[in-house]
Amino acid sequence: LILSSKPLPAKAEVLGFGQGQDALALADRDDISGLNATKKALSNAIKMSKLSIKNIDAAEVHDCFSIAEILAVEDLGFCPKGMGGKWVASGSATFGAKVVINPSGGLKACGHPVGATGVKQIAFLSQQIAAGKFAHALSHNVGGSGATAVVHILGPAAAVKGIKK
């Protein structure tokens, strides 16, 4: 979402997006140690973007609770299942690492504006891409206790890469 009184040249764009869903009741889910909705949303976004999770160098994940970040990095494929806590604690998710998770500080650091978190994530990542800080970024948002998830993959706008639209 960009609000402006005049046209601006595109510096970043959504390359792919996906939505996934699962049962609302935790008791009805096959596995409560992750979010199938996230995995489905990621699969759709990856397919549309024609990229791999290995191309992502920054991600804003839905870290409404500390465990949510750990589960998200596992479900998004940044690290193996069951290793999210150790992976984050090892420094693999911070500046200087292959991928930076929540470079903005995450939802809680930004006040977790419920209903606007997805817009905040995409606006922040777009600014970072436009500034040349990251090449490809991912936003991950969750609703309904993980019953639904949305993933967006962003990258430089085609015009920035020298391709006319």
Side-chain angles (χ1 to χ4, degrees), residues 98-141:
K98 185 180 178 316
V99 63
V100 181
I101 302 298
N102 290 342
S104 71
L107 298 184
K108 293 178 287 182
C110 296
H112 192 356
V114 176
T117 56
V119 172
K120 187 271 317 173
Q121 290 172 325
I122 291 173
F124 174 80
L125 291 172
S126 294
Q127 290 172 337
Q128 300 302 299
I129 290 169
K133 294 182 180 178
F134 303 111
H136 295 100
L138 177 150
S139 70
H140 164 254
N141 211 319

Side-chain angles (χ1 to χ4, degrees), residues 40-99:
K40 292 174 188 175
L42 174 67
S43 177
N44 293 331
I46 289 287
K47 186 183 295 182
M48 182 183 287
S49 73
K50 299 183 178 134
L51 295 173
S52 160
I53 197 66
K54 293 177 181 179
N55 297 115
I56 305 300
D57 48 7
E60 287 287 320
V61 302
H62 196 97
D63 65 340
C64 51
F65 305 100
S66 298
I67 190 65
E69 176 182 346
I70 292 168
L71 295 176
V73 297
E74 293 177 3
D75 290 341
L76 292 166
F78 290 116
C79 67
K81 189 74 175 157
M83 298 302 296
K86 288 182 180 180
W87 185 78
V88 170
S90 75
S92 295
T94 193
F95 293 95
K98 185 180 178 316
V99 63

